[in-house]
Amino acid sequence: MKKSIFLVSHSKEITDGIKTMVEQMAQKEEVAIFSLGGTAEGQLGSDPTKIMAAVEASQDAAVYLVFADLGSAVLSAELAFDLLAENDQKKYRLVDAPLVEGAFAAAITAGITDDVEQIMTEAKQAGKKGW
């Protein structure tokens, strides 16, 4: 089962760095990582249209796990959800977890299981478990 992980931050450099780190350790054929930091113009900020484009690019995924860092990045992730078709909304999970540790734990766990609840639990507990 294919899973997509969306990294949302105000900074493209942050999400690019996390994507690089996670891809080096996760099983790439099972998990697609999307760096969605910054605005479409390359500025600091977040952009729900980038999230929607990532959904479009990963229609073969069974689940979209969305990790966001700061308040308006979370708001962008929530707005993107509201703008998606109902079928895509069913696959969309905004994960309440630390961006770095949560995304890392989710990617590693997603590479070994298709249990979405287990993947999300690992992501949410990542900061406490010392991932």
Side-chain angles (χ1 to χ4, degrees):
M1 176 175 89
K2 181 117 176 173
K3 302 112 186 161
S4 290
I5 294 178
F6 300 159
L7 307 171
V8 183
S9 173
H10 290 75
S11 170
K12 183 176 181 337
E13 289 82 4
I14 288 173
T15 57
D16 284 351
I18 297 168
K19 179 181 188 300
T20 298
M21 178 185 73
V22 171
E23 283 182 339
Q24 289 180 10
M25 299 181 168
Q27 295 181 15
K28 295 176 189 167
E29 64 275 358
E30 288 293 319
V31 183
I33 311 293
F34 291 81
S35 173
L36 306 173
T39 66
E41 297 79 29
Q43 301 297 313
L44 284 178
S46 55
D47 186 345
T49 63
K50 289 177 81 170
I51 301 167
M52 295 175 66
V55 166
E56 227 9 78
S58 59
Q59 284 293 298
D60 60 339
V63 64
Y64 313 120
L65 299 169
V66 184
F67 294 85
D69 59 1
L70 302 173
S72 64
V74 173
L75 291 175
S76 287
E78 291 172 341
L79 178 57
F81 172 84
D82 291 339
L83 297 172
L84 291 173
E86 185 177 338
N87 187 50
D88 289 325
Q89 286 180 342
K90 290 177 184 176
K91 300 192 295 184
Y92 192 95
R93 307 280 195 288
L94 179 56
V95 186
D96 185 14
L99 179 62
V100 177
E101 297 93 334
F104 178 77
I108 298 302
T109 306
I112 58 174
T113 184
D114 290 337
D115 183 340
V116 175
E117 292 308 315
Q118 181 182 355
I119 295 166
M120 290 180 55
T121 297
E122 289 296 325
K124 291 176 182 179
Q125 294 177 354
K128 299 174 191 156
K129 288 181 130 183
W131 272 89

